[in-house]
Amino acid sequence: MKIHLPDNSIMLSVQDAVQGICQYMFDQLNFNHFSYRRHYNDGATIHLVNSDANDHGRTYLKALYGEGLYARAPDVEEAAKTRTDSPRLMGFLTPQFSVADGLANEPIYRKQIELADLCNIGYRVGFYQRFNDYIEINSFGSSSYEIGVFLNFCIQHLVVFQNFIKYFRTEAEGLIEIIKKDPIILAPGLTLESQKSTPADFVGYDFKKKKKITLRLTGQEAATLQQLSKGQTFKGAAKNLLISPRTVENHIYSAKMKSKCNSTNELLEVFSTLTPR
């Protein structure tokens, strides 16, 4: 799988410039997140995100692609087929408008929400539109509203978002051209289904019971155990892996069930003796 982010210095200037373009809109609407994506038909992607003083935008962007938590154009278009209005409004946890809700049971989708929460990106809505050689998605988010207030605000101010999208396309034209020269490259056949963590076998030998140990773990389960083995707390592991503490607990519970260990300490002792195959 070939994925890379553009040069760090370019990304730094680009994300700060996006913040500048959006700042007035943020101040007026009490929003704090904007994302501009183009998914080209050949698999290339450009993705611009504002980045605040705490660098949440860059953290989100790097984790999103580094952890494989993104969706490609075919995934989005498949979900969008259920809607007839164009440009389409889609949003996370939005009743009648959402095309993303159809993915709610996908592990990748749940991890996206967890990542967004860690990066101070609250509820989001987005506008989807198909062009000849790419699809475009503009997303807006706020961590300041309650869900009901957020949805009502978005529905009542659709024209504001649509006008800002036109404004952003004009103001960010130069940035878009820069990023087009070094896009994020996504593997052509990669889909949400194939992004699910592939299990791997960890093997060892129990000398007391004189038997071979084989423990099949997902990538996230193994990464969580590695973090705890290094002395991290559940919260520390969650922060490093950009997942929630509850997800860490779920991974540990799953690994304990697989290994038939009665405690986390026992699980870590077993894991320390194993090597990936």
Side-chain angles (χ1 to χ4, degrees), residues 63-80:
L64 187 74
Y65 291 96
E67 297 295 323
L69 302 181
Y70 52 85
R72 292 179 64 251
D75 301 313
V76 177
E77 292 196 292
E78 182 63 28

Side-chain angles (χ1 to χ4, degrees), residues 114-157:
E114 291 172 356
L115 173 61
D117 185 56
L118 287 170
C119 293
N120 197 36
I121 299 170
Y123 299 112
R124 287 173 286 173
V125 294
F127 291 85
Y128 160 96
Q129 191 167 6
R130 159 54 80 178
F131 293 86
N132 286 335
D133 60 341
Y134 63 87
I135 63 171
E136 180 185 273
I137 302 172
N138 292 269
S139 300
F140 302 81
S142 174
S143 57
S144 301
Y145 293 99
E146 295 294 330
I147 180 62
V149 176
F150 174 78
L151 295 180
N152 287 332
F153 180 91
C154 293
I155 292 169
Q156 293 170 12
H157 295 83

Side-chain angles (χ1 to χ4, degrees), residues 80-91:
K81 286 179 181 178
T82 59
R83 300 293 181 268
T84 58
D85 51 313
S86 181
R88 298 176 176 86
L89 173 68
M90 59 184 183

Side-chain angles (χ1 to χ4, degrees), residues 19 24 30 150 156 171 236-237 265 275:
Q19 180 76 26
Y24 180 76
N30 207 19
F150 174 78
Q156 293 170 12
E171 292 297 308
N265 287 337
T275 56

Side-chain angles (χ1 to χ4, degrees), residues 46-263:
I46 63 173
H47 198 161
L48 305 179
V49 177
N50 70 291
S51 200
D52 58 20
N54 294 314
D55 249 7
H56 284 127
R58 273 186 289 276
T59 299
Y60 174 76
L61 193 67
K62 291 180 180 179
L64 187 74
Y65 291 96
E67 297 295 323
L69 302 181
Y70 52 85
R72 292 179 64 251
D75 301 313
V76 177
E77 292 196 292
E78 182 63 28
K81 286 179 181 178
T82 59
R83 300 293 181 268
T84 58
D85 51 313
S86 181
R88 298 176 176 86
L89 173 68
M90 59 184 183
F92 292 87
L93 308 178
T94 56
Q96 63 268 45
F97 292 102
S98 176
V99 299
D101 285 351
L103 304 176
N105 293 323
E106 292 284 352
I108 296 297
Y109 176 85
R110 293 199 299 270
K111 290 178 183 177
Q112 282 184 0
I113 295 177
E114 291 172 356
L115 173 61
D117 185 56
L118 287 170
C119 293
N120 197 36
I121 299 170
Y123 299 112
R124 287 173 286 173
V125 294
F127 291 85
Y128 160 96
Q129 191 167 6
R130 159 54 80 178
F131 293 86
N132 286 335
D133 60 341
Y134 63 87
I135 63 171
E136 180 185 273
I137 302 172
N138 292 269
S139 300
F140 302 81
S142 174
S143 57
S144 301
Y145 293 99
E146 295 294 330
I147 180 62
V149 176
F150 174 78
L151 295 180
N152 287 332
F153 180 91
C154 293
I155 292 169
Q156 293 170 12
H157 295 83
L158 295 183
V159 67
V160 174
F161 297 122
Q162 291 169 328
N163 286 337
F164 180 80
I165 289 170
K166 295 176 183 177
Y167 169 78
F168 184 84
R169 286 181 188 142
T170 300
E171 292 297 308
E173 184 177 0
L175 301 180
I176 293 171
E177 290 303 314
I178 290 174
I179 294 298
K180 280 173 62 177
K181 297 177 182 178
D182 194 8
I184 301 166
I185 307 299
L186 306 182
L190 203 60
T191 64
L192 282 173
E193 182 65 28
S194 64
Q195 289 175 57
K196 293 177 182 178
S197 181
T198 302
D201 288 334
F202 287 75
V203 299
Y205 193 83
D206 187 333
F207 288 95
K208 291 183 179 179
K209 297 181 180 180
K210 297 182 180 179
K211 68 175 184 178
K212 183 179 178 180
I213 301 173
T214 300
L215 183 58
R216 173 155 288 197
L217 300 170
T218 67
Q220 281 286 299
E221 288 169 351
T224 299
L225 287 172
Q226 288 166 352
Q227 287 289 318
L228 296 181
S229 296
K230 294 176 182 177
Q232 287 291 345
T233 62
F234 277 32
K235 288 185 178 180
K239 181 178 180 180
N240 290 340
L241 296 174
L242 294 173
I243 58 179
S244 70
R246 176 59 62 86
T247 301
V248 169
E249 293 176 7
N250 291 340
H251 289 324
I252 295 303
Y253 177 80
S254 175
K256 284 196 290 189
M257 292 300 99
K258 293 177 180 179
S259 64
K260 298 182 180 179
C261 291
N262 296 318
S263 68

